[in-house]
Amino acid sequence: GENVGLHLPTLSVQEGDNSIINCAYSNSASDYFIWYKQESGKGPQFIIDIRSNMDKRQGQRVTVLLNKTVKHLSLQIAATQPGDSAVYFCAEPGREYGNKLVFGAGTILRVKS
Amino acid sequence: DTEVTQTPKHLVMGMTNKKSLKCEQHMGHRAMYWYKQKAKKPPELMFVYSYEKLSINESVPSRFSPECPNSSLLNLHLHALQPEDSALYLCASSQVPTGTGGPQTFGSGTRLTVV
């Protein structure tokens, strides 16, 4: 079955450093991926998405990289700030399930000041 | 308006109570979703409405009853819940009811406690 998972459950970084959050997926037919940020007491917030016809996409301080060869996705956050502290989920609309969103387990990002 | 609004933000209910969670969006999205999220876990899909019709029910117990009165509103009726149903209930919407059509926009959720 489909599986979207994360390598590291918790990531601690110093303020100002860059953060990299990783995600692995198992379905080679997957063609759309989304990163969400969830702060304590809030719902998931869309950060950035990428389609499988791209290897890289940049937003404001964030970059998503997609390596289809090894079925790996990463979210890079530049100059990490205390406000970036949250749980980050990668997600994929599992094709088998229509428009069901399949989430990875999540990575906790802690930013140290 | 680019938000999904959920009410109430917090709800405490007894196991014999009947309550409803409400969700509203005015982005013209034609798909709406209910998710359940337990602490330190990702959201789990419960229901999907596409063009105001129920399209996916993830084998949710009948004590949870969804309703979509119109394209902007989504309700979740609760009855005879169990303490293990305590969780954060999230509503989301997307422009079209196809997975690759774009990201889902989430509300802030209702924190439900069943006593």
Side-chain angles (χ1 to χ4, degrees):
Chain A
E2 298 174 8
N3 180 37
V4 181
L6 297 175
H7 294 308
L8 299 174
T10 303
L11 177 65
S12 293
V13 299
Q14 197 67 38
E15 182 179 358
D17 287 351
N18 296 334
S19 302
I20 300 176
I21 300 171
N22 297 302
C23 182
Y25 62 96
S26 60
N27 185 0
S28 57
S30 299
D31 56 6
Y32 180 55
F33 303 90
I34 309 165
W35 281 101
Y36 285 95
K37 170 188 180 183
Q38 187 173 23
E39 297 176 85
S40 180
K42 296 185 179 181
Q45 176 188 2
F46 169 78
I47 302 172
I48 193 168
D49 57 5
I50 189 168
R51 297 191 182 275
S52 59
N53 60 351
M54 302 174 71
D55 296 324
K56 178 180 178 179
R57 190 167 189 217
Q58 288 185 291
Q60 188 174 12
R61 281 201 307 117
V62 295
T63 300
V64 55
L65 299 177
L66 176 61
N67 186 330
K68 295 180 286 292
T69 302
V70 296
K71 291 182 282 190
H72 183 267
L73 189 69
S74 68
L75 177 71
Q76 300 179 0
I77 304 174
T80 312
Q81 302 169 1
D84 295 325
S85 294
V87 179
Y88 289 80
F89 293 103
C90 63
E92 172 203 7
R95 187 178 293 275
E96 291 181 27
Y97 306 99
N99 50 354
K100 174 179 177 176
L101 203 58
V102 178
F103 285 86
T107 293
I108 300 171
L109 176 63
R110 300 190 197 279
V111 181
K112 298 176 286 187
S113 299
Chain B
D1 189 352
T2 59
E3 290 187 345
V4 174
T5 303
Q6 290 188 242
T7 55
K9 294 198 179 303
H10 301 276
L11 179 63
V12 179
M13 62 184 291
M15 289 188 284
T16 59
N17 291 160
K18 287 185 180 180
K19 295 287 185 183
S20 297
L21 309 184
K22 297 186 182 302
C23 175
E24 190 168 2
Q25 58 88 13
H26 296 287
M27 295 178 281
H29 288 179
R30 301 312 301 273
M32 296 186 76
Y33 312 80
W34 280 115
Y35 289 85
K36 174 182 178 180
Q37 186 177 27
K38 300 285 267 185
K40 302 188 187 304
K41 296 289 186 182
E44 298 176 4
L45 183 69
M46 300 174 71
F47 302 104
V48 180
Y49 272 83
S50 299
Y51 297 99
E52 296 93 67
K53 294 191 188 304
L54 183 65
S55 61
I56 296 179
N57 176 339
E58 289 286 295
S59 301
V60 179
S62 60
R63 58 186 183 268
F64 295 91
S65 176
E67 178 196 19
C68 189
N70 59 55
S71 61
S72 299
L73 296 174
L74 187 67
N75 299 321
L76 186 63
H77 302 298
L78 314 173
H79 174 55
L81 294 193
Q82 302 298 311
E84 59 264 30
D85 296 321
S86 298
L88 181 67
Y89 288 84
L90 294 161
C91 175
S93 68
S94 64
Q95 193 166 21
V96 293
T98 57
T100 58
Q104 295 177 19
T105 301
F106 285 82
S108 291
T110 294
R111 175 71 61 188
L112 175 67
T113 303
V114 181
V115 296

